[in-house]
Amino acid sequence: MKPINVGLLGIGTVGGGTFRVLKRNKEEITRRAGREIAIVTVADKDVEKARAIVGDGVRVTADAFEVVRDPEIDIVVELIGGYTVARELVMAAIENKKHVVTANKALLALHGNDIFAAAQRNGVMVAFEAAVAGGVPIIKSLREGLTANHIEWIAGIINGTSNFILSQMRDRGASFEDALKEAQARGYAEADPTFDIEGIDAAHKLTIMSAIAFGIPMQFSKCYTEGISKLTREDIRYAEEFGYRIKLLGITRRRPEGVELRVHPTLVPARQLIANVEGVMNAILVKGDVVGPTLYYGAGAGAEPTASAVVADLVDVTRLHTVDPNNRVPHLAFQPDAVQDIPILPMDQVETSYYLRLRALDRPGVLADVARVLADLEISIDAILQREPAEGEDQADIIILTHKTIEARMNAAIARIEALPTIIGKVTRIRLEFLNRH
Amino acid sequence: MKPINVGLLGIGTVGGGTFRVLKRNKEEITRRAGREIAIVTVADKDVEKARAIVGDGVRVTADAFEVVRDPEIDIVVELIGGYTVARELVMAAIENKKHVVTANKALLALHGNDIFAAAQRNGVMVAFEAAVAGGVPIIKSLREGLTANHIEWIAGIINGTSNFILSQMRDRGASFEDALKEAQARGYAEADPTFDIEGIDAAHKLTIMSAIAFGIPMQFSKCYTEGISKLTREDIRYAEEFGYRIKLLGITRRRPEGVELRVHPTLVPARQLIANVEGVMNAILVKGDVVGPTLYYGAGAGAEPTASAVVADLVDVTRLHTVDPNNRVPHLAFQPDAVQDIPILPMDQVETSYYLRLRALDRPGVLADVARVLADLEISIDAILQREPAEGEDQADIIILTHKTIEARMNAAIARIEALPTIIGKVTRIRLEFLNRH
């Protein structure tokens, strides 16, 4: 059987990895796919670099639009990133009846609904395993492996850079700034690390997982996003004393009233497997009503791990490209006419437990005042730790863990606590999840 | 579209779970599959019980052979277990052009080659996600999610009963016998627990994973199998002191000379995620050359977790049953004509590290004698721990961790050590894996 022809758009880190893997494991991949998968054209604005990577026998062009129109090409792999040119290219590829494989989470989180609708109209597949958690087959597991389940919630470590920084802060007692510098020195964080450390990248990935878990459209703009840049070593240490680790989690949960969709630092019991995921690794915990909790772990970034997912998608598309579109797995896991527009809950409706750190004057009655505020708002206290003031100081830290409550109520409690005359400055609030219940 | 018709053979624990899940989540499963999946006939030798579970509207029969011949049935779900009648039924279903979904690991490990060949000839699918690690989509991940990879090795906790017993021994200092009793009291172990505690069940599952990872036939008879019934609290405690946990692992590894295929208790570094999998849970660590290590975790048994996998297979078959067989995922992950007969290595050719526990007379020179034996056989020592003899005793434990060597060489070393006049009784040998290299 003749090879299936792939046009590769962008031969940077992941593009280079994909080219290398298809070449190195060609024999084994062909033994699985039943047909050779051949990159026949590469588009990159740096034609020289592209030529140096691919050698002879592969066409190289600076014009990606030429590739998406080329009648010889069966599948377009989009690895350019961003959502301007990449969007135009993906849409053009679809209109030209090409199947698309992409690792572009930002593009899908922002424009996935339009892209999948266009793919549906044109009878082509848009595959995106590489968009979430690199080489971990989480999209396949959610869309195909857990189809028996009413999925209740997902909690994931889906940004390796942030997880590396948090591991450094805990293991070595590094400050956020020093840990970030270390991540940059190792090539885990970019010069402008905003997308990673402020939770935006995680929010893109969470938006995609939420859509396929619950059968809802992509709604990135409604995702609550809070990063790790304000976390302190003190909070990490206090969390540890209570038996918790702090992780940047993307959490999405289905409740009767709607769907929670949020990225923020989270205390997690240290005995939980996901609390022990260290360094740049990713892990996603999925709770289904039938299977219970399942966890998927692996490298969430890097040239080859991401290429692993790109190539898996290429094999899937190679198998299914001649098949009646109705027999393929739907893009959003649910049949297009069965996607439901369940509302995303605003953050003040989210239900979770909390870690609070207060700075208080060392006076009798301070704890009673704070406890009173929480009791008035019907927030139950799970644990309290009051530090002795340091020698010669008149202030001390109070740490409180609460049971579950609605965020709006916690906001009200924090406002009242901050207004107490014995409380100094702002209250630090970090959300806490047990990850073992609904 | 009219429902796809399923005939269920055996409505015990997993069969009941499957029936219940298809009913409870019918709306959501149909939204995913695009078509209703309906159990129309149930065969069970206890017709009364079956009738009580399924209610009206579902045919009940004592004759499973009637079901596999019924022209109304599209898919047969085999949940009877064992490999006598179950084998005949599955083969008869295939000959009658029915697709088959099964949770029967013993059947596949022993007769999978014949069954898949028959399925291939008849153009039908035999799906078996439920055969390994219950609801964890490990078969799908291996066959479809990691197709880019040259898989190097797999190490899995794939028997929940054994893992529960080992957790009890470590957490509560229970003896093997007491932990087994506790497992039986909780319904995790059967009255005759041989299959679970002696590693046979794990060997069935490992055989299946090995075949689809490496593209080789099922070769259960060549799997080395050693269970946990001889493990002592002392070994678990000593392992702990060195920073290791003992887990019953199924390990399969591709080496240039052949494939390792072995189930045995194994020391694993405590910092490894898989070392922290407790109770009846399962976890499989897969090392691919492209993606690196990935791990899959979840409930490995139980009515609903296993039903989760059965129903996921039903959805897959529903999607693909009208599709050209060549476009489906091959049963053994590799195209049938690309399966290779790589030899399974005999156990004495396996390469691993070791934990040794010796009982020695408290004499000068004992350690030197033992170290000399190991040095003569070119086995490197990683760590040694010599206990002081207990008060009034003349004997003490010596614990040795070695670097990697070939099992044949370790057998020779153990024979020589046991022959030393200062060594009392047998040497306890437990294998040790770092799980972070090739």
Side-chain angles (χ1 to χ4, degrees), chain A residues 24-25 28 31-32 140 144 147-150 254 289-290 294-295 297 304 308 319 322 327 335 338, chain B residues 24-25 28 31-32 140 144 147-150 254 289-290 294-295 297 304 308 322 327 335 338:
Chain A
R24 184 173 82 230
N25 287 355
E28 202 159 328
R31 279 175 62 209
R32 291 193 177 101
K140 185 172 281 286
E144 305 174 40
T147 44
N149 290 266
H150 177 84
R254 176 145 58 175
D289 71 327
V290 180
T294 54
L295 180 133
Y297 163 92
E304 295 222 348
S308 176
R319 283 196 180 116
T322 56
N327 290 333
Q335 300 293 324
Chain B
R24 185 172 82 229
N25 288 354
E28 203 160 327
R31 281 175 61 207
R32 291 194 177 100
K140 185 171 282 285
E144 306 175 39
T147 44
N149 290 266
H150 178 85
R254 175 145 58 176
D289 70 327
V290 180
T294 54
L295 179 133
Y297 163 92
E304 294 222 347
S308 177
T322 56
N327 290 332
Q335 299 293 325

Side-chain angles (χ1 to χ4, degrees), chain B residues 146-175:
Chain B
L146 302 180
T147 44
N149 290 266
H150 178 85
I151 295 188
E152 296 172 356
W153 52 261
I154 297 174
I157 296 174
I158 43 180
N159 182 271
T161 308
S162 300
N163 201 55
F164 174 83
I165 291 172
L166 293 177
S167 285
Q168 291 282 313
M169 289 175 75
R170 189 178 77 87
D171 284 359
R172 305 189 10 235
S175 68

Side-chain angles (χ1 to χ4, degrees), chain A residues 89-302:
Chain A
L89 285 166
V90 165
M91 290 303 263
I94 291 169
E95 299 299 337
N96 283 289
K97 314 284 184 206
K98 313 281 182 223
H99 302 284
V100 174
V101 173
T102 179
N104 195 331
K105 47 242 168 200
L107 177 65
L108 294 178
L110 273 76
H111 304 293
N113 301 324
D114 294 346
I115 289 169
F116 296 138
Q120 176 72 9
R121 279 195 307 275
N122 285 280
V124 296
M125 287 172 271
V126 175
F128 52 96
E129 183 64 79
V132 182
V136 183
I138 183 64
I139 299 297
K140 185 172 281 286
S141 297
L142 279 172
R143 287 206 311 188
E144 305 174 40
L146 302 180
T147 44
N149 290 266
H150 177 84
I151 296 191
E152 295 172 355
W153 52 260
I154 297 174
I157 295 174
I158 44 182
N159 181 271
T161 309
S162 301
N163 201 56
F164 175 81
I165 291 172
L166 293 177
S167 286
Q168 290 282 313
M169 289 175 73
R170 189 178 78 86
D171 283 0
R172 306 190 8 237
S175 67
F176 171 78
E177 289 71 23
D178 287 346
L180 172 59
K181 267 183 213 137
E182 177 73 24
Q184 285 168 326
R186 295 206 198 184
Y188 297 153
E190 298 182 45
D192 176 357
T194 312
F195 262 47
D196 288 325
I197 64 170
E198 297 305 348
I200 302 161
D201 173 74
H204 289 145
K205 295 165 180 166
L206 183 68
T207 299
I208 296 171
M209 290 198 289
S210 180
I212 63 177
F214 304 135
I216 58 174
M218 305 272 181
Q219 295 171 76
F220 171 69
S221 65
K222 295 185 184 152
C223 185
Y224 174 81
T225 306
E226 178 184 322
I228 60 169
S229 59
K230 292 190 186 68
L231 279 181
T232 66
R233 283 178 283 200
E234 288 66 41
D235 291 318
I236 289 173
R237 214 180 48 234
Y238 284 134
E240 200 90 13
E241 286 183 36
F242 281 104
Y244 294 84
R245 303 267 166 89
I246 299 181
K247 294 290 181 189
L248 181 69
L249 291 188
I251 298 170
T252 185
R253 176 183 276 127
R254 176 145 58 175
R255 286 175 32 209
E257 318 84 284
V259 168
E260 296 183 359
L261 188 64
R262 48 192 170 102
V263 173
H264 51 67
T266 314
L267 273 78
V268 181
R271 67 177 181 282
Q272 280 273 356
L273 218 51
I274 200 168
N276 294 283
V277 170
E278 300 294 346
V280 292
M281 302 305 274
N282 281 199
I284 299 112
L285 185 56
V286 181
K287 173 68 161 55
D289 71 327
V290 180
V291 72
T294 54
L295 180 133
Y296 309 85
Y297 163 92

Side-chain angles (χ1 to χ4, degrees), chain B residues 67-81:
Chain B
V67 179
V68 301
R69 286 188 218 106
D70 182 348
E72 294 288 298
I73 298 289
D74 303 303
I75 311 174
V76 169
V77 176
E78 184 277 304
L79 297 174
I80 292 176

Side-chain angles (χ1 to χ4, degrees), chain B residues 378-400:
Chain B
E378 290 173 36
I379 298 169
S380 303
I381 295 173
D382 182 44
I384 290 195
L385 174 74
Q386 182 164 26
R387 296 307 246 182
E388 290 294 308
E391 182 103 17
E393 275 197 36
D394 188 31
Q395 304 177 1
D397 281 343
I398 298 173
I399 317 296
I400 301 172

Side-chain angles (χ1 to χ4, degrees), chain B residues 134-326:
Chain B
V136 182
I138 183 64
I139 300 297
K140 185 171 282 285
S141 296
L142 279 172
R143 288 205 311 187
E144 306 175 39
L146 302 180
T147 44
N149 290 266
H150 178 85
I151 295 188
E152 296 172 356
W153 52 261
I154 297 174
I157 296 174
I158 43 180
N159 182 271
T161 308
S162 300
N163 201 55
F164 174 83
I165 291 172
L166 293 177
S167 285
Q168 291 282 313
M169 289 175 75
R170 189 178 77 87
D171 284 359
R172 305 189 10 235
S175 68
F176 171 78
E177 288 72 21
D178 287 344
L180 171 59
K181 268 184 212 135
E182 176 71 22
Q184 285 169 324
R186 295 206 199 186
Y188 297 153
E190 298 181 47
D192 176 359
T194 311
F195 262 48
D196 288 324
I197 64 171
E198 296 305 348
I200 302 161
D201 173 74
H204 288 145
K205 295 165 181 168
L206 182 69
T207 299
I208 296 172
M209 289 198 290
S210 180
I212 64 176
F214 305 136
I216 58 174
M218 306 272 181
Q219 294 170 78
F220 172 70
S221 65
K222 296 186 185 152
C223 184
Y224 174 82
T225 306
E226 177 183 323
I228 59 168
S229 58
K230 294 193 185 66
L231 280 182
T232 66
R233 283 177 284 200
E234 288 65 44
D235 291 317
I236 289 174
R237 215 180 47 233
Y238 283 134
E240 199 89 14
E241 286 182 37
F242 281 104
Y244 293 84
R245 304 265 166 90
I246 300 181
K247 294 289 180 189
L248 181 69
L249 291 187
I251 297 170
T252 184
R253 176 182 277 128
R254 175 145 58 176
R255 284 174 36 206
E257 317 85 284
V259 169
E260 296 183 358
L261 188 65
R262 48 192 170 103
V263 172
H264 51 68
T266 315
L267 274 77
V268 182
R271 67 177 181 282
Q272 281 272 357
L273 218 50
I274 201 169
N276 295 281
V277 170
E278 299 295 347
V280 290
M281 301 306 274
N282 281 199
I284 299 114
L285 184 57
V286 181
K287 173 69 161 54
D289 70 327
V290 180
V291 73
T294 54
L295 179 133
Y296 309 84
Y297 163 92
E304 294 222 347
T306 311
S308 177
V310 169
V311 172
D313 276 348
L314 284 171
V315 173
D316 273 0
V317 174
T318 299
R319 283 198 181 114
L320 296 174
H321 75 295
T322 56
V323 156
D324 177 350
N326 293 319

